[in-house]
Amino acid sequence: MNPDVTNIVFCVVTLMCGCVSWQGVICMVSCMFNEENYVYNSLFVVLGGGTLFGGLLVKLRDIPLVFKPIYYVSVTAITQRALVVNDFLCCYLTASCSSSSSPSPFNSTSPISSNILSSDQCPAALSFVGDGSDEGNLGRLALSVTGLDGVDPFAELASIFCVAVASRVAAVAVLRVVQRGQEMLKEVNEAGS
């Protein structure tokens, strides 16, 4: 969505790291369980929880305390947040009250809205100073509405990369533990009847 070269490269790198991290999580969970059902159920909880409680559908402040860890540890949630913040944070979604050639949408004859907004009022998010800091005000408004205005996309990318490495290392460690457990098994021969 964002046409800037830096943002496009960030998007591609984030998607690649997110996919590799998700594959690492799948690998790690698959190594932990022998039963397919446990693997599928665990991955469903991680994927569904990350999608629901990742900060895009439910704001962080509205997530129940029990589900708050999902916000911070779900690879899908971190990837989605990094991509959304990357797209909306920059400078191509800009608007002001004076930039529209159509009649102001804030003029209304309704008694309720006329008490809230007068015809010459402009919402604070669309007030335009013109010093260059206003560039991208619609994107930042969308981020503040969703509660993602404090998210650092580069920190999210770094955490996705760390999860990619840590999940692969954890999968190898789990496989070694399982292998040692299998080596310690003793074969029991039943005496014939």
Side-chain angles (χ1 to χ4, degrees):
M1 205 163 96
N2 200 325
D4 186 34
V5 174
T6 306
N7 293 79
I8 292 171
V9 170
F10 181 88
C11 179
V12 170
V13 170
T14 302
L15 281 173
M16 291 181 70
C17 280
C19 288
V20 169
S21 296
W22 181 240
Q23 289 173 344
V25 169
I26 291 171
C27 179
M28 183 182 65
V29 172
S30 297
C31 292
M32 294 171 99
F33 300 109
N34 290 332
E35 296 281 330
E36 247 180 73
N37 291 336
Y38 295 137
V39 173
Y40 289 141
N41 290 339
S42 300
L43 290 175
F44 176 76
V45 167
V46 172
L47 180 63
T51 302
L52 182 60
F53 300 116
L56 295 180
L57 297 177
V58 180
K59 290 182 182 181
L60 177 61
R61 63 183 164 100
D62 296 332
I63 297 174
L65 188 60
V66 176
F67 298 113
K68 283 206 189 223
I70 293 174
Y71 179 89
Y72 297 104
V73 299
S74 175
V75 172
T76 55
I78 295 170
T79 305
Q80 290 169 359
R81 282 195 308 269
L83 290 172
V84 167
V85 171
N86 176 55
D87 278 341
F88 286 142
L89 195 56
C90 189
C91 49
Y92 71 101
L93 292 173
T94 305
S96 67
C97 289
S98 61
S99 66
S100 175
S101 60
S102 63
S104 175
F106 307 109
N107 294 340
S108 177
T109 57
S110 155
I112 295 172
S113 62
S114 64
N115 290 337
I116 297 172
L117 293 173
S118 65
S119 61
D120 59 345
Q121 254 185 337
C122 182
L126 295 182
S127 59
F128 204 81
V129 178
D131 61 356
S133 64
D134 302 316
E135 297 297 318
N137 63 352
L138 286 181
R140 287 191 301 275
L141 175 64
L143 289 176
S144 68
V145 166
T146 58
L148 296 175
D149 49 345
V151 173
D152 180 11
F154 293 101
E156 300 286 298
L157 179 59
S159 63
I160 294 169
F161 180 77
C162 290
V163 168
V165 173
S167 61
R168 297 294 177 161
V169 170
V172 170
V174 168
L175 280 177
R176 286 189 178 171
V177 168
V178 169
Q179 183 180 11
R180 284 186 186 153
Q182 288 175 346
E183 290 172 355
M184 294 175 68
L185 292 176
K186 295 180 183 178
E187 187 174 331
V188 177
N189 291 330
E190 292 184 28
S193 47

